[in-house]
Amino acid sequence: ADVEGLEAYLGVMAKLVSEGDRDRTHQRLHLLREEYGAEYHVTAMFPLEPLMRLYCCKICASLRGKILDTVGAFALTPHEAATIWARLEATAVLADTPAPAAPALAAPGGYGTPGMAFYGSHMLPPAPAATPAVADLRYQLNQVEDPAGQYPETLAFVRLLNRLVSVSMS
């Protein structure tokens, strides 16, 4: 039920951001950053940073796919698309080498975590142990999605790439 609720919330958020008035979206995000920035560590990367941190946790593939769809919705300008791409690289979504493991959050379906992460201007140290990266899409595809015969995360990643490219070209 929790996963379904989060997926529904992310779907509504993505729809509002991608199909709503861009100026109003930017104004609301700016107001959130001003109002809650210091208290809740809301930075210029909000809401991208919390979404990417959740993506790096051990959660089910369908929720990981919804997170990628929501992240893609925030690519409204070429600058934002470049920021999202840089964050994907930092998250090691297509990691060449395994990264340290992350603590599990709740649902099964993911595994591991990226190495160094940034939260605002603070660098977070890597977690101990060495297992496949949670954000490594290839691992998720081969070990989680393929055996299940469902590919929500991989399809969402392709949609995200299409969105980033199309926004960058505009």
Side-chain angles (χ1 to χ4, degrees), residues 19-107:
E19 296 181 15
D21 183 328
R22 290 182 181 187
D23 291 333
R24 289 183 74 186
T25 298
H26 283 287
Q27 285 176 333
R28 287 182 179 150
L29 288 174
H30 183 72
L31 289 173
L32 280 172
R33 290 179 194 126
E34 284 182 355
E35 176 114 7
Y36 300 105
E39 187 176 349
Y40 295 102
H41 304 288
V42 175
T43 68
M45 294 296 287
F46 179 81
L48 177 61
E49 185 63 33
L51 290 172
M52 293 308 296
R53 290 183 57 80
L54 178 60
Y55 179 80
C56 291
C57 293
K58 186 176 179 181
I59 55 176
C60 66
S62 63
L63 182 55
R64 293 167 64 84
K66 279 292 188 185
I67 290 169
L68 291 177
D69 285 335
T70 304
V71 166
F74 283 92
L76 301 173
T77 67
H79 178 265
E80 291 165 342
T83 300
I84 290 170
W85 181 255
R87 188 61 181 106
L88 286 172
E89 285 181 329
T91 306
V93 171
L94 295 174
D96 290 333
T97 58
L105 266 192

Side-chain angles (χ1 to χ4, degrees), residues 2 33 46 49 85 111 118 151 159 170:
D2 290 342
R33 290 179 194 126
F46 179 81
E49 185 63 33
W85 181 255
Y111 202 40
F118 290 88
Y151 307 91
R159 287 190 298 270
S170 63

Side-chain angles (χ1 to χ4, degrees), residues 116-158:
M116 297 303 282
F118 290 88
Y119 186 71
S121 61
H122 307 293
M123 188 180 340
L124 302 174
T131 58
V134 109
D136 184 357
L137 190 61
R138 289 175 291 195
Y139 179 84
Q140 291 293 117
L141 173 63
N142 292 326
Q143 301 298 321
V144 178
E145 291 181 319
D146 193 37
Q150 297 179 353
Y151 307 91
E153 184 179 359
T154 302
L155 293 172
F157 184 72
V158 171

